[in-house]
Amino acid sequence: MAWRLTGFITLCVYIFMFAPIIATVVLSFNASMFGGFPLTGFSLQWYGKLLSNEQVLAAFRTSLWIALVTAAVTTLLGIITAFALVRFEFPGKATFGTLVILPALVPETILGVGLLVLIKAVDQPRSLGLLLLGHIMLALPYVVLITQARMVGIRRTYEEAALSLGASRLSSFREITLPLLIPAVVASALLAFTISFDNTSASLFWRPAGVETMPTQILSMLKISISPEINALGTVMIVVTVGIPLVGGLILQSLTRLRKRVDAKGNA
């Protein structure tokens, strides 16, 4: 009875969490402009209106390029930081590691308000550059943690063998360590993209006036009225934030299997 009760409660929790998401996706295809059940018909008109909404498209472009730059920069910095923390000993290593992951330990709202107060104190106007730096700061700890966990599992003997055969440290990293880090690199890049693209609380405080990202655009649209376009926009956000990591994971699994097959044929 205890296990059945636990399973029932777990099922109720999952329904409570995912039912609004499913309802949003279903209502985005409703033909009526008044969201509700039962559906009056199937229609893609709200997606068409969404594609003709210049404000939404501008917010999408802003979120897209910020997320892409954030993923690229944090992945590069995360690899370098994780390599330094795992492979080298230097004064203040523990303090440096704590400072790197500190943004992940502080709630985003507190961090956003604190940095906003700092910006105001130094009389620095909000800009896209500061917004981008804020997203990098928020996503970097997760990239470092993922890459560092993978780096710990890579034996140092591989690199030492390459160095003993005359390879430089850079060549050893490029030819030995980096290929072994590819799963962590892909996973951390996708996670950083998702964190940046779906960020709401920090973007509200750091974005300059007149600039909207996708999450802040949804909030601004909700302040005016609840339009079926919001359901369509929410569905797009769900597809992007959930679909990209899933597709990336499938591609990574396919590449891993392909590499194993090639290695097996080569050994045969």
Side-chain angles (χ1 to χ4, degrees):
M1 288 297 296
W3 282 110
R4 291 179 180 178
L5 180 61
T6 302
F8 176 74
I9 294 175
T10 303
L11 178 63
C12 291
V13 170
Y14 276 108
I15 292 175
F16 178 79
M17 292 176 59
F18 292 103
I21 298 176
I22 297 174
T24 299
V25 175
V26 173
L27 289 176
S28 67
F29 299 101
N30 190 11
S32 174
M33 66 177 298
F34 302 103
F37 293 96
L39 302 180
T40 59
F42 180 85
S43 176
L44 297 176
Q45 60 175 324
W46 308 118
Y47 290 92
K49 291 186 177 181
L50 197 64
L51 292 175
S52 62
N53 191 327
E54 185 56 36
Q55 292 180 343
V56 173
L57 295 178
F60 180 81
R61 289 191 294 265
T62 301
S63 290
L64 182 62
W65 80 262
I66 290 178
L68 289 174
V69 175
T70 299
V73 174
T74 53
T75 301
L76 178 61
L77 294 179
I79 293 174
I80 296 173
T81 304
F83 187 79
L85 291 174
V86 175
R87 290 291 188 260
F88 297 99
E89 296 293 335
F90 52 88
K93 176 181 176 180
T95 304
F96 176 73
T98 303
L99 290 176
V100 169
I101 66 173
L102 188 60
L105 305 178
V106 180
E108 287 187 9
T109 303
I110 297 177
L111 192 62
V113 173
L115 289 182
L116 179 61
V117 172
L118 178 62
I119 291 172
K120 293 296 183 180
V122 298
D123 198 21
Q124 173 65 42
R126 291 180 294 178
S127 63
L128 282 176
L130 289 176
L131 178 61
L132 177 60
L133 290 176
H135 281 218
I136 292 174
M137 179 186 64
L138 292 175
L140 181 60
Y142 301 96
V143 177
V144 172
L145 290 174
I146 294 174
T147 311
Q148 188 176 3
R150 177 63 177 172
M151 184 77 70
V152 171
I154 299 176
R155 296 181 180 179
R156 192 179 300 218
T157 53
Y158 299 147
E159 302 168 7
E160 293 175 350
L163 294 175
S164 65
L165 293 175
S168 63
R169 189 171 293 276
L170 179 60
S171 299
S172 173
F173 176 81
R174 185 179 64 249
E175 302 295 336
I176 304 297
T177 308
L178 187 58
L180 296 175
L181 277 177
I182 288 299
V185 171
V186 174
S188 58
L190 293 174
L191 180 60
F193 179 90
T194 304
I195 291 173
S196 175
F197 192 85
D198 200 33
N199 183 275
T200 304
S201 55
S203 299
L204 283 173
F205 296 107
W206 300 338
R207 62 184 175 88
V211 175
E212 299 285 355
T213 60
M214 286 287 283
T216 61
Q217 179 64 31
I218 292 177
L219 290 178
S220 63
M221 291 173 66
L222 286 173
K223 292 178 181 178
I224 301 173
S225 63
I226 302 179
S227 170
E229 291 183 52
I230 298 178
N231 295 327
L233 184 57
T235 303
V236 172
M237 290 290 295
I238 293 171
V239 171
V240 172
T241 56
V242 178
I244 289 180
L246 289 178
V247 172
L250 292 175
I251 294 175
L252 187 60
Q253 288 182 357
S254 300
L255 292 176
T256 302
R257 293 174 182 174
L258 180 61
R259 184 177 180 180
K260 289 181 179 180
R261 292 177 182 175
V262 172
D263 293 341
K265 291 182 180 179
N267 294 331

